Structure formats: C-alpha cells, structure tokens
Amino acid sequence: MSDLTRMTAVEIAAKVAGGEVSAEEVTRAHLDRIAAVDGKVHAFLHVDADGAVEAARAVDAKRARGESLGPLAGVPVAVKDVITTRGVPTTAGSKILEGWRPPYDATVVERLRDAGTVILGKTNMDEFAMGSSTEYSAYGATNNPWDLGRIPGGSGGGSAAAIAAFEAPLAIGTDTGGSIRQPGAVTGTVGSKPTYGGTSRYGLIAFSSSLDTPGPCARTVLDAALLHEVIAGHDWRDSTSIPQPVPPVVEAARLGLTGDLTGMRLGLVTQFDGEGAEPGVMAAFRDALAALTKLGAEIVDVSCPHFEYALPAYYLIAPSEASSNLARFDGVRYGLRVGDDGNRSLEEVMSLTREAGFGPEVKRRIMLGTYALSSGYYDAYYGQAQKVRTLITQDFNAAFEQVDVLVAPTTPFVAFPFGSRTSDPYQMYLADLFTIPTNLYGGPGISVPCGLSEGLPVGFQIMAPTMADDRMYRVAAALESAVGTLTPPSLEG
C-alpha cells in the first residue's frame, strides 16, 4: 500500500500545498488502491478515474501559478451515490436509475469541486438509502474491511468502507436515521451528521425530506471537521437550509485534540445505558466515558423518556415521506422504463417499471408509508408519530438545559454477518435504535471509534443542540486523542 493512501486529509493537503507531492500523484495512488482492493470490498459503484485525474491536474496547475489553495485542495473524496454528480452515473443504489447521468451537480458536490477536492467516484449504498447494512443495494453488498463476511453498516456502507479500506481519505454520506454514524461505528471510522439544514439537500435524491442530511465521513475527527466546513452553509436552492454561519467545527476539533474537556458536562442518556446493547459494546462505551472523565468532563445522568418511541415514530414518518418522494420514479421522465411496447397504458408501464425497478425494502416502505397516509389512518399513524417527534424534541431541549452534549453508543451491536437480519426487518431496524432520536430532533451527531468488541469496532456517539455542531467535534476529538484511531486488518494477499 502506498504511504499516500495511509495519510490523513490534513497531511495530504499540506504536502500538496508545499509541493512535496502533486495532487495527481495522490489521486493515482488512491485509484491504484481502489483497483487493488475494491474487488474484495465493493465500496464503489462507479470510479471516475478520468475526471479525478483531470481535477487533480487542475489543482497542480493552480499551485504552479502561485494561487492559494484551500485546506483540502488535492485531497481525494468519495461521494455516496444518492448525491447527483454532473455527467457521472447516479443510481441511488437502485435499478430504476441504472445508467442515469444527472445534468447538474448537487450543492455539496459544487462545494467539493470549488474547494479543490478530487472526486474519485460514487459509493455503494442501500437502495434509496433505505437500510442499515448495504445489503439492499441493487448492485450487491459492500463488505466490511474488518471482516469481509460482515456488513459495513448502512445505508452508507460504501462510503465508510472506502475510508476504512484506505481507498479514500474522505467521503460524503447522508444521514436520515443514522446512515452516516452507524456505518462509521461498525467500520471504525468517523461519521458526522450535521444539524438538519446545516448542509444543503439540493441535488440529494430524496428519501425522507424532513430528515435527510448530507455529512462528512473520515478517518479522523479533524478531517471530518474540515470536510464539514467545506460542504456546509446556507443554500438558497434548499428551502430548509439554515441562513446562519457554519459553526466553528474545525476550531473546536483542534481544541479537542489538546485533550482538555474541563467544564464540559456530558449527558448519559439513561434510556440507552445498556438498552438492548451487546455487553462488549457497553464495555467499550464505558471505558470511553472513563477516558473522557480523566480529560476533565463531568458525566451526568439524563432521562429522555420519549426516546423509546423514536424507532416506531421514525418508521411511520420516514416511509410516509418516502412514499410521496418516490412517486416521481414512474418510468416516464427518466430512468428505467419497462413494458412500453405501444400496446400498454401509462398505468401499466408505470406499474411494470416500479415492480422491476424497486427492490423489496423500498417496496415495503412505500406500502407502509402509503398506508400510514391513507384516508382514515393519517391521524392515527402519521399524525401521532409527528406528536411523538415533538415530545422527543422537548426531551432534547430539556436535556441541553442541564448538559452540553448527550452521549450514547452509536449502535447496539458490532457489525453482524451477512444475511443474519434480512429475514426480520425489525431486527435490522434496531441497528438505528440509538441514532434515530437525533434525526427526529434535527440536531447534530457524530460517531467516533472508542474500542473493539470481539475484534470489531465500537462507535461512541455524541449529540449536540441544533447549530452547536462544534461542541460534538470538541468532545469527539478529545476522545480520539485519548483512545487513538483504529486500523483494520490488511486486505492484501
């Protein structure tokens, strides 16, 4: 493995800016790494080698002209395949969008290009971001670099696996119910969900519009903070975008790396203290709490009584919004079209297209959401779920009057073997038990590695108030300074 692929984004950017290495050399090293190991990992659905080399050369030319470079210029990045990239295939992990090449870039992608990052390609994911294992991708599952027989989390398992396998130093994911944080936890990487509205959804193929949030994935907290700063900020094209300055996440991460948390109060959510979690996960989590206490943090028990209703509320709200959002995939305007032989009606073509194009989990959630929104059931299901969402938000607000951040395990269990939960959707949904409340509230959350259980990574989750993303970065960086980062076994050979 090239030393360049082992470097952090901060190290790569510094070497490119200083002329020690060219952006093209860095890019080709990562493309070589992808060619060498992605046959085993399957993190990427499409590698844009030509586009990546062209972008890297543009960075090198800019430096040669003496122009200033941004803090991540020349650093390769992978992008989850639910985010549009102009001229590059974007499928959302679904057959219904196979071969579609968007005519525009998402805002997040525009900002990546403007910052001089080098987009390597598009990463695998559960279809339309519906899943917790990447097993529901229409193009085959991604394998966890820690154990190729286990899941890399979901829905953004491709982005997390690409980072863990040293195929990219940075990646973009999206988090609707934990799809950045949970893959980060089970692959031993950092996954950050910004405040809802803190990053633009323009160009993000919608799953659940009131929950979807693009965010950074990285191997270190500081790298994640730098990527967060690049992609965040107000966007007039997204009506839910927050017109406020980006929180000082990079400054907070650097402060956290000093290892001083004196005066910070961390709220331990009592409802998540051992609730359904594996003993090894809880042991690693408690060791991390002890490490944070040594850094000066105060641990305070906090009760959030409505968190236990978050999972059922989410699985009414998100499928309801999905059933509406996915109605646009009708075989008429773009994407797959089946049965259009001149003899069938529009309704028949639409039905055949959706039957062939959507996978089982997407169909399950469309049916569930349509039922929840149907006449006579709206108030009983969707309406009640939104009331629970309000109660969960009130729990968060009350908790943040007592503490600076909340902490919990990211996921109740380590990466599980392929096929062990696909036959029981409820068991699969439990993977998001600890992450979903933050999405319903709209606040930020980050997962950072905190140790191993049975030789597999465990994630430590930090949740902060809305637009106080900097708080979670400070605590996450401090924990990283105390426990270090994780490296998976070698994939060579």
Side-chain angles (χ1 to χ4, degrees):
M1 188 193 308
S2 166
D3 287 342
L4 292 175
T5 60
R6 287 275 181 174
M7 291 180 183
T8 67
V10 171
E11 292 168 341
I12 291 171
K15 288 188 177 294
V16 170
E20 297 178 55
V21 67
S22 70
E24 184 174 351
E25 287 176 290
V26 172
T27 298
R28 291 193 183 278
H30 284 88
L31 290 173
D32 289 346
R33 176 67 177 171
I34 293 168
V37 304
D38 204 54
K40 297 177 180 178
V41 179
H42 189 43
F44 284 86
L45 291 180
H46 177 79
V47 178
D48 184 22
D50 291 342
V53 171
E54 182 182 346
R57 287 174 176 168
V59 173
D60 290 335
K62 189 174 181 180
R63 184 190 174 277
R65 292 192 299 269
E67 298 179 32
S68 62
L69 300 179
L72 289 179
V75 179
V77 60
V79 177
K80 188 177 180 180
D81 202 34
V82 75
I83 297 170
T84 59
T85 40
R86 185 179 65 252
V88 178
T90 302
T91 68
S94 178
K95 289 292 185 183
I96 210 162
L97 281 175
E98 188 171 17
W100 182 57
R101 293 175 181 263
Y104 69 102
D105 278 333
T107 296
V108 166
V109 173
E110 282 185 356
R111 291 176 176 174
L112 289 173
R113 297 194 198 280
D114 290 345
T117 64
V118 176
I119 297 174
L120 295 171
K122 309 300 288 294
T123 56
N124 198 15
M125 56 180 286
D126 286 297
E127 185 179 6
F128 285 104
M130 299 181 192
S132 302
S133 65
T134 319
E135 290 173 283
Y136 292 127
S137 169
Y139 304 99
T142 294
N143 303 313
N144 192 326
W146 283 83
D147 181 341
L148 297 176
R150 292 176 183 266
I151 60 100
S155 63
S159 288
I163 294 169
F166 298 97
E167 296 178 73
L170 299 173
I172 298 294
T174 62
D175 197 307
T176 305
S179 292
I180 291 175
R181 290 163 288 156
Q182 186 252 1
V186 300
T187 59
T189 58
V190 177
S192 175
K193 173 213 171 299
T195 295
Y196 176 81
T199 49
S200 174
R201 290 187 299 110
Y202 178 77
L204 167 61
I205 298 171
F207 161 20
S208 182
S209 301
S210 73
L211 299 166
D212 297 340
T213 307
C217 312
R219 286 194 292 270
T220 71
V221 175
L222 180 57
D223 282 359
L226 285 162
L227 185 56
H228 183 141
E229 192 169 70
V230 163
I231 64 173
H234 181 247
D235 178 18
W236 63 270
R237 292 173 295 188
D238 175 3
S239 62
T240 60
S241 181
I242 299 173
Q244 293 183 24
V246 178
V249 293
V250 174
E251 179 186 341
R254 294 189 191 279
L255 177 61
L257 288 172
T258 65
D260 183 6
L261 291 179
T262 304
M264 288 209 73
R265 293 166 61 86
L266 315 185
L268 176 60
V269 181
T270 55
Q271 283 74 14
F272 288 166
D273 189 14
E275 175 66 30
E278 293 174 346
V281 169
M282 290 310 302
F285 173 71
R286 292 194 176 102
D287 287 346
L289 282 179
L292 291 171
T293 301
K294 290 179 180 178
L295 298 179
E298 179 186 355
I299 309 299
V300 180
D301 286 339
V302 175
S303 177
C304 297
H306 300 99
F307 277 22
E308 63 181 288
Y309 305 113
L311 192 72
Y314 172 88
Y315 279 102
L316 285 168
I317 293 169
S320 295
E321 295 182 5
S323 73
S324 175
N325 280 324
L326 270 62
R328 72 192 66 179
F329 301 105
D330 53 14
V332 175
R333 286 162 284 194
Y334 51 84
L336 182 70
R337 182 181 298 175
V338 175
D340 185 15
D341 57 4
N343 298 314
R344 290 187 171 92
S345 68
L346 172 63
E347 289 78 9
E348 288 176 305
V349 171
M350 191 182 303
S351 178
L352 288 168
T353 298
R354 289 167 68 85
E355 195 282 329
F358 288 145
E361 182 63 21
V362 172
K363 290 174 182 175
R364 181 183 294 120
R365 298 201 195 192
I366 289 174
M367 288 189 289
L368 177 60
T370 302
Y371 181 80
L373 293 175
S374 61
S375 177
Y377 294 100
Y378 180 97
D379 290 334
Y381 293 110
Y382 184 76
Q384 287 294 101
Q386 290 288 17
K387 291 176 182 177
V388 170
R389 186 177 192 172
T390 299
L391 293 172
I392 289 169
T393 297
Q394 290 174 354
D395 281 354
F396 271 106
N397 290 335
F400 290 133
E401 290 179 1
Q402 306 173 55
V403 297
D404 297 301
V405 297
L406 296 178
V407 295
T410 308
T411 187
F413 31 74
V414 295
F416 48 84
F418 286 113
S420 61
R421 293 175 183 262
T422 48
S423 61
D424 186 345
Y426 179 70
Q427 289 301 313
M428 183 72 79
Y429 296 164
L430 286 176
D432 300 328
L433 182 66
F434 298 155
T435 54
I436 280 174
T438 298
N439 295 89
L440 294 175
Y441 162 57
I446 190 170
S447 177
V448 62
C450 67
L452 300 174
S453 172
E454 301 175 21
L456 295 168
V458 175
F460 186 97
Q461 182 183 198
I462 303 142
M463 299 160 274
T466 54
M467 294 306 288
D469 305 47
D470 50 308
R471 294 188 196 176
M472 70 181 187
Y473 277 101
R474 181 183 174 188
V475 176
L479 180 58
E480 182 180 272
S481 74
V483 303
T485 57
L486 299 178
T487 302
S490 173
L491 290 167
E492 281 83 0

